[in-house]
Amino acid sequence: MFARLTKYRWQYTMIVPAVVLLFLFSYVPMVGIQVAFKDFHIGLTMWNSPWVGFENFSFLQDDQFWVVVGNTLYIAVLKFVFGFPAPIILALLINELRHTGFKRFVQSVSYLPHFFSWIVVAYMLQSLLTLDGGIVNQLIVNMGGEPVFFLGSTEWFRPMIVASGLWKEVGWNTILYLAAITTIDPQLYEAA
């Protein structure tokens, strides 16, 4: 053991800063986890606060908490189901385009929403879908239908969350898949 330490002393010396940083930024902050189990108030230190155990976790018994957890899991599954294949399909479609100018235009337009802030996306959705003056509802009314309260309806909440996330991120992920597709040898691609 000691012979191995002396033989590889420079390698072990180079590992020391990484181990120190791992300890400082991963394990030392875990001391603060105990605040969750204390009745912490401003003015008291973490060490002087009285211990309350699981009293701070009483929200787990609330029925509304489990509804929120269920919605979160449901939306995550929907985002995975629709968000995973969409950029792959779009990348394959863009890859098949022959006109390079149109191909670059489609790439640029599709990945541009990635750079929008979520605040900008929310404002765009509000201006498109609002009951009074929203373009989508105006189209629905002009076609003889009744306006739909997209932004306040419980049945439209999940589709709006998934669709807005898909619209915002599908272009960026498509660029990543396009980069992977272009590295494939065309002969192998045609042989498959």
Side-chain angles (χ1 to χ4, degrees):
M1 177 75 176
F2 186 70
R4 184 180 182 125
L5 286 174
T6 55
K7 181 179 178 182
Y8 296 110
R9 66 184 174 274
W10 298 114
Q11 287 86 349
Y12 287 125
T13 304
M14 291 170 52
I15 291 174
V16 167
V19 170
V20 168
L21 288 175
L22 176 75
F23 179 76
L24 283 177
F25 292 108
S26 296
Y27 292 106
V28 171
M30 291 182 77
V31 173
I33 290 175
Q34 66 179 308
V35 172
F37 302 100
K38 292 190 170 200
D39 188 19
F40 182 76
H41 296 288
I42 295 177
L44 294 175
T45 65
M46 178 173 56
W47 311 109
N48 294 345
S49 300
W51 187 267
V52 294
F54 287 103
E55 186 177 310
N56 291 336
F57 296 95
S58 62
F59 62 87
L60 293 173
Q61 298 171 354
D62 187 13
D63 294 335
Q64 196 64 28
F65 172 78
W66 295 109
V67 170
V68 171
V69 169
N71 274 337
T72 302
L73 293 175
Y74 189 74
I75 290 170
V77 168
L78 285 177
K79 282 186 174 184
F80 178 75
V81 166
F82 292 107
F84 180 70
I88 297 171
I89 293 168
L90 186 58
L92 290 171
L93 291 173
I94 290 175
N95 190 47
E96 294 299 319
L97 292 175
R98 298 291 171 228
H99 191 269
T100 56
F102 183 65
K103 188 178 197 176
R104 288 182 181 164
F105 174 75
V106 170
Q107 284 178 336
S108 297
V109 168
S110 68
Y111 84 85
L112 187 63
H114 172 74
F115 298 104
F116 293 159
S117 162
W118 274 108
I119 296 169
V120 173
V121 171
Y123 180 75
M124 290 170 69
L125 285 173
Q126 180 183 3
S127 62
L128 287 172
L129 301 173
T130 188
L131 278 174
D132 53 344
I135 296 170
V136 174
N137 274 320
Q138 285 180 355
L139 285 171
I140 292 172
V141 169
N142 290 342
M143 295 173 72
E146 292 291 322
V148 179
F149 191 31
F150 290 105
L151 300 176
S153 171
T154 56
E155 63 262 6
W156 281 99
F157 174 74
R158 291 174 182 161
M160 295 305 303
I161 293 290
V162 173
S164 62
L166 191 65
W167 173 76
K168 188 176 182 313
E169 298 300 332
V170 74
W172 180 258
N173 294 332
T174 297
I175 298 298
L176 300 177
Y177 287 115
L178 268 174
I181 289 172
T182 56
T183 60
I184 298 172
D185 184 16
Q187 293 175 349
L188 293 173
Y189 189 64
E190 290 171 5

